[in-house]
């Protein structure tokens, strides 16, 4: 049998892990099961990644990069600021509707990572990258259209992603297409209003 290098085996194992855990959940993703999914020895997984946590980290990175790439491809080149934000939000929502298992697996891995010290860095990297890319897209749209942001781009990104994560969880748990569309429109409207300084922030009680 021809030798397969670790560099070649790595994407194969990541895909096998995604396929397996998408079907059966994160708890089923042992190195033995992932190796069996690809039809290789368990030692191959450890040789390629070192530990199960390292493989899980690679899976999170792959899922994140795939989703980000789809949204970035949807970014319009000549639209206004509001239209750009709406287009990007719609593109991201489309990934939820068309690839719900990818979002579910990312959510499951994120919850698993919260209780796994070796995956804390991967979890921070996942949210950090998504936030940074969202902030970059907002900044680029503002600069292209001459739109002065009333709030830092990272704050706008965090606000949008917080609402979007909630909508995604609702779609996976209790879908309602009409309500989801209204909520997504409201979220985009709120982001645009916050970005334009048209949203009055209510003071919170002091603790």
């Amino acid at each position: 049998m021809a030798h397969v290098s670790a560099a070649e085996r790595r994407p194969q194992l990541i895909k096998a892990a995604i396929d397996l855990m998408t079907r059966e959940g994160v708890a089923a993703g042992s190195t033995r099961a992932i190796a069996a999914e690809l039809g290789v020895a368990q030692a191959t997984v450890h040789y390629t990644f070192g530990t199960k946590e390292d493989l899980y980290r690679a899976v999170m990175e792959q899922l994140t990069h795939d989703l980000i790439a789809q949204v970035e491809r949807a970014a319009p080149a000549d639209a206004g600021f509001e239209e750009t934000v709406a287009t990007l939000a719609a593109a991201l929502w489309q990934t939820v509707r068309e690839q719900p298992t990818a979002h579910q697996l990312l959510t499951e891995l994120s919850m698993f990572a919260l209780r796994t010290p070796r995956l804390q860095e991967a979890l921070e990297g996942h949210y950090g990258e998504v936030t940074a890319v969202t902030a970059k897209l907002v900044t680029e749209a503002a600069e292209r259209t001459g739109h002065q942001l009333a709030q830092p781009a990272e704050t706008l990104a965090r606000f949008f992603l917080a609402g979007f994560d909630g909508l995604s969880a609702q779609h996976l748990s209790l879908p309602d297409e009409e309500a989801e569309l209204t909520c997504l429109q409201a979220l985009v409207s709120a982001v645009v209003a916050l970005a334009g300084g048209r949203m009055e922030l209510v003071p919170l009680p002091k603790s």
Side-chain angles (χ1 to χ4, degrees):
M1 181 179 294
H3 172 72
V4 179
S5 69
E8 293 176 280
R9 192 64 85 188
R10 181 181 176 87
Q12 296 174 353
L13 285 168
I14 291 173
K15 183 179 184 304
I18 291 173
D19 291 344
L20 174 68
M21 290 190 287
T22 294
R23 289 196 318 269
E24 303 181 25
V26 173
S30 66
T31 55
R32 182 184 300 277
I34 292 168
E37 179 80 8
L38 187 59
V40 298
Q42 185 178 6
T44 301
V45 180
H46 293 289
Y47 173 75
T48 305
F49 287 96
T51 66
K52 180 177 71 174
E53 288 78 16
D54 291 331
L55 175 54
Y56 280 17
R57 181 182 296 109
V59 167
M60 290 184 71
E61 291 172 352
Q62 186 65 55
L63 291 170
T64 302
H65 291 163
D66 289 347
L67 293 172
I68 285 174
Q70 292 179 65
V71 174
E72 287 183 318
R73 286 196 296 269
D78 54 2
F81 182 77
E82 293 185 11
E83 184 181 348
T84 298
V85 173
T87 299
L88 293 172
L92 186 56
W93 186 248
Q94 186 174 354
T95 69
V96 176
R97 290 174 55 83
E98 295 181 351
Q99 304 165 61
T101 54
H103 286 271
Q104 181 176 341
L105 181 53
L106 262 177
T107 299
E108 291 178 11
L109 284 168
S110 297
M111 295 304 100
F112 179 79
L114 283 173
R115 293 186 176 275
T116 308
R118 287 176 59 87
L119 283 174
Q120 285 292 322
E121 184 180 346
L123 183 61
E124 292 174 5
H126 162 65
Y127 279 103
E129 182 176 7
V130 172
T131 301
V133 170
T134 304
K136 176 179 76 73
L137 291 171
V138 169
T139 299
E140 290 174 350
E143 291 176 347
R144 190 187 72 248
T145 60
H147 191 91
Q148 185 67 38
L149 296 178
Q151 295 287 343
E154 182 175 344
T155 300
L156 296 170
R158 283 176 171 268
F159 175 64
F160 170 74
L161 292 170
F164 194 88
D165 284 349
L167 278 176
S168 300
Q170 288 182 359
H171 177 74
L172 293 172
S173 306
L174 189 66
D176 183 327
E177 185 174 348
E178 184 176 351
E180 290 162 0
L181 178 59
T182 299
C183 290
L184 183 62
Q185 290 175 310
L187 176 60
V188 170
S189 300
V191 171
V192 170
L194 186 61
R198 301 192 302 275
M199 179 183 289
E200 183 176 349
L201 299 180
V202 177
L204 296 176
K206 295 182 179 179
S207 56

